[in-house]
Amino acid sequence: MIADHIMFTGVNVLLAWSVYVILLSGSVSFANGAFMAIGGYGAGVLTTKFGLPLVAGIPIAALGTAAFGMIIGLPALRTRGIYLILVTTGIAFCVKNAIEAIPYVGGVRGMRGLVGAEPWHVWVVAGVVGLLLWLLSRTPLQRILDAVREDELVARSLGINTVYVKVIAFGTGAALAAVAGGLYAHYMYVINPEHFGILVSVYVVLYVILGGVNNLWGPPLGAAVMTLLPELIRGLQAWRPIVFGVVIVILLLVRPEGLLPFRSPTARAKEARRG
Amino acid sequence: MADAPVLEVRGIKVGYGPIKAIRDCSLDVAAGETVAVVGANGAGKTTLLRAISRMLPLEAGEIRFAGQSVAGRRTHLLARDGLLHVPEGRGVMPNLSVWENIRISWEVRPTEIAFEAALQRVFERFPRLAERRMQRAGTLSGGEQQMLALARAIANPPRLLLLDEPSLGLSPIMIAEAYKALRQFQADGMTILLVEQNVHAALRFAQRAYILKQGEIVAQGTGEGLLADPDMLKHYLGSK
């Protein structure tokens, strides 16, 4: 049981970062559950049907998912705000239904025999991702992402290729979600499309918003709290979802910017100067 | 002046669907020159600048920047070639600090000036920004935000600076401040095309000016010359 919690918290931390990366460039994605599914199924096919080791299967699946994300992102990222939410939600539905319709990966019954992922694998990956994101926050690239998020038109007038920045961020987020999906799948032994429904995507965005969208450490904190909180209030039984929902509403009212606030400009400037 | 003009606009037409915001517009800006386009609200001034920096497509006509047609070139590439468009409403990044705003305009366009030198030049011109370097740009006053927008042109001097309504929403004192800064740009030899609703401020500043009315250039002359003809200004702009 403890191992499950450690595993799922780690997977959700990765997923939260996958949304955060996309959010850095100013786009919201409700499709990360779908990217997770593609990563999970893709890696699953590679390990079970082609006999590849997991360490090869997951990166290949992640690259494939990144390519898929970028191809979809190119037209999808022309939309913004609520329209982008609708488009990415549509992607999530399409992918889930497509997987259900493919007998090769088991259709609605799912895929079995996926093994090899341990909870500590996820945390090593999460550590590496966290380190990379922290390094990113000290490079000029962070400022370019900030500019695109703040005002696309101004960013363009400064000389930034905003389309490129947004598509790369989307692809990177898709790849991260795919890695989380691959690890998750190979821990679960069996996966089916229900594991990657639209609710997964919604929850992940929720982790990020609750943790703090403007701080690198906000999304993992939100993911950890939101994954473990339902377990802590397990004693409430049927009331659990209601209490969980109320906690979310209260959190948003009390800390609308998330648990961790925006990095202050002073702190960012200091980081930049050191870096 | 023997060189080709930095900017040539020839008979352009720009529209948003069936609405034609620019119906016929031609103008030139030579190197080192400061040119104003004045017109009432809705005359098509912002549309004109957006067409020049390729934020909007042309329906007809041609625009040449530094002797080359801008057709098919993207906004960010034009920017890297030295066409700096400061959009209406300042165009600063509100959640980034003053320092970060200056830094990013320095780092995305290629320049030969070292950042420390660029920053020093900005702070010499605008000491207020030096005091507020760590502050979020969104918390600056309107005038200070305009200074920050103009600071970009100092941090990384463009070949052509397009300014959309630099006086918009500013108090008379801040308008005077902004134009004082622009006069220094002029003295530096910067090439500037600005559009303005504040006719008097713009005409007093610019060497040459065009009057835009309902998407057409209806008059042109030196800034002083147009200013000296209040009847014409009144006729075209409906102002005193």
Side-chain angles (χ1 to χ4, degrees):
Chain A
M1 272 312 279
I2 289 289
D4 280 357
H5 293 330
I6 295 173
M7 180 73 196
F8 297 146
T9 305
V11 167
N12 285 338
V13 165
L14 277 179
L15 286 172
W17 267 332
S18 77
V19 167
Y20 169 77
V21 166
I22 297 173
L23 214 55
L24 274 182
S25 69
S27 310
V28 192
S29 169
F30 278 84
N32 285 34
F35 296 141
M36 184 193 180
I38 298 172
Y41 273 92
V45 166
L46 290 171
T47 55
T48 59
K49 315 238 178 195
F50 293 90
L52 255 65
L54 194 59
V55 283
I58 287 178
I60 295 172
L63 285 177
T65 312
F68 174 77
M70 288 193 279
I71 290 166
I72 282 190
L74 214 48
L77 292 170
R78 286 169 174 270
T79 62
R80 311 202 52 148
I82 196 158
Y83 299 100
L84 184 59
I85 291 176
L86 285 175
V87 170
T88 52
T89 308
I91 296 170
F93 276 113
C94 288
V95 168
K96 178 171 175 274
N97 286 302
I99 293 172
E100 284 174 354
I102 301 174
Y104 181 67
V105 294
V108 284
R109 306 226 319 278
M111 196 177 199
R112 336 190 117 255
L114 309 168
V115 289
E118 302 285 340
W120 68 269
H121 295 156
V122 180
W123 283 98
V124 168
V125 173
V128 171
V129 170
L131 182 69
L132 288 176
L133 286 174
W134 178 74
L135 289 173
L136 167 80
S137 74
R138 298 162 53 111
T139 64
L141 190 58
Q142 172 80 40
R143 241 186 322 274
I144 288 172
L145 287 162
D146 287 340
V148 173
R149 187 184 62 233
E150 289 276 304
D151 194 327
E152 242 181 275
L153 207 63
V154 174
R156 223 176 295 155
S157 75
L158 286 174
I160 297 169
N161 188 344
T162 54
V163 176
Y164 184 76
V165 170
K166 285 164 63 177
V167 167
I168 293 287
F170 201 68
T172 308
L176 266 181
V179 170
L183 290 165
Y184 173 78
H186 289 80
Y187 179 77
M188 294 292 283
Y189 185 73
V190 54
I191 51 169
N192 67 58
E194 288 303 322
H195 287 133
F196 310 103
I198 182 68
L199 264 181
V200 174
S201 301
V202 175
Y203 269 121
V204 178
V205 173
L206 197 64
Y207 302 153
V208 177
I209 291 170
L210 289 171
V213 294
N214 291 310
N215 190 309
L216 162 59
W217 308 112
L221 180 67
V225 169
M226 289 296 126
T227 316
L228 297 175
L229 187 64
E231 302 305 325
L232 293 176
I233 56 175
R234 195 167 270 274
L236 297 168
Q237 291 173 1
W239 286 88
R240 203 154 64 111
I242 297 169
V243 171
F244 185 53
V246 169
V247 168
I248 291 170
V249 172
I250 291 173
L251 260 179
L252 283 178
L253 286 173
V254 178
R255 300 211 59 124
E257 297 220 323
L259 291 170
L260 293 179
F262 202 100
R263 293 166 301 143
S264 71
T266 320
R268 293 204 312 271
K270 276 186 195 146
E271 281 165 21
R273 207 153 303 166
R274 276 200 310 265
Chain B
M1 293 263 184
D3 300 340
V6 173
L7 181 73
E8 293 167 81
V9 177
R10 292 280 165 267
I12 62 162
K13 213 177 270 194
V14 190
Y16 303 88
I19 304 152
K20 301 291 164 257
I22 297 283
R23 292 187 299 189
D24 180 21
C25 184
S26 298
L27 56 85
D28 291 300
V29 182
E33 200 179 25
T34 47
V35 176
V37 174
V38 295
N41 206 356
K45 302 186 298 293
T46 296
T47 308
L48 171 66
L49 289 196
R50 289 193 175 163
I52 293 170
S53 62
R54 294 289 298 156
M55 289 177 190
L56 287 172
L58 291 185
E59 284 178 11
E62 193 186 22
I63 297 174
R64 296 172 80 81
F65 168 59
Q68 282 182 314
S69 171
V70 302
R73 292 162 77 187
R74 309 252 300 279
T75 301
H76 66 274
L77 295 176
L78 283 169
R80 288 185 209 167
D81 283 343
L83 183 114
L84 178 60
H85 183 166
V86 177
E88 195 174 15
R90 330 271 176 260
V92 300
M93 315 279 178
N95 280 315
L96 299 190
S97 68
V98 168
W99 183 89
E100 285 171 308
N101 267 278
I102 298 169
R103 175 85 192 184
I104 194 160
S105 50
W106 174 83
E107 75 198 346
V108 291
R109 278 187 296 134
T111 176
E112 277 146 30
I113 307 166
F115 181 66
E116 285 309 318
L119 197 64
Q120 203 178 343
R121 277 166 53 177
V122 169
F123 290 161
E124 270 166 22
R125 281 285 164 88
F126 302 119
R128 298 279 285 171
L129 296 182
E131 288 165 29
R132 301 182 187 275
R133 58 200 288 169
M134 291 305 170
Q135 211 169 311
R136 279 175 51 206
T139 65
L140 300 177
S141 74
E144 287 162 347
Q145 288 188 31
Q146 186 64 63
M147 299 298 158
L148 184 53
L150 293 178
R152 266 180 221 161
I154 304 175
N156 191 347
R159 286 160 89 177
L160 173 63
L161 176 63
L162 299 181
L163 283 175
D164 197 345
E165 303 255 9
S167 72
L168 187 78
L170 297 186
S171 69
I173 296 168
M174 287 321 297
I175 292 175
E177 283 278 314
Y179 273 94
K180 201 175 115 196
L182 288 179
R183 277 202 184 84
Q184 284 173 324
F185 287 6
Q186 200 170 36
D188 294 342
M190 202 179 289
T191 312
I192 303 172
L193 174 66
L194 83 162
V195 302
E196 261 288 10
Q197 208 173 318
N198 188 329
V199 177
H200 289 264
L203 292 184
R204 268 197 297 270
F205 163 69
Q207 292 158 349
R208 281 192 310 116
Y210 297 85
I211 297 176
L212 190 65
K213 189 184 183 187
Q214 291 176 355
E216 282 174 58
I217 297 282
V218 290
Q220 58 172 300
T222 62
E224 298 289 332
L226 289 174
L227 210 51
D229 194 348
D231 286 342
M232 185 172 71
L233 287 184
K234 189 175 178 180
H235 180 247
Y236 286 125
L237 302 169
S239 65
K240 53 183 167 47

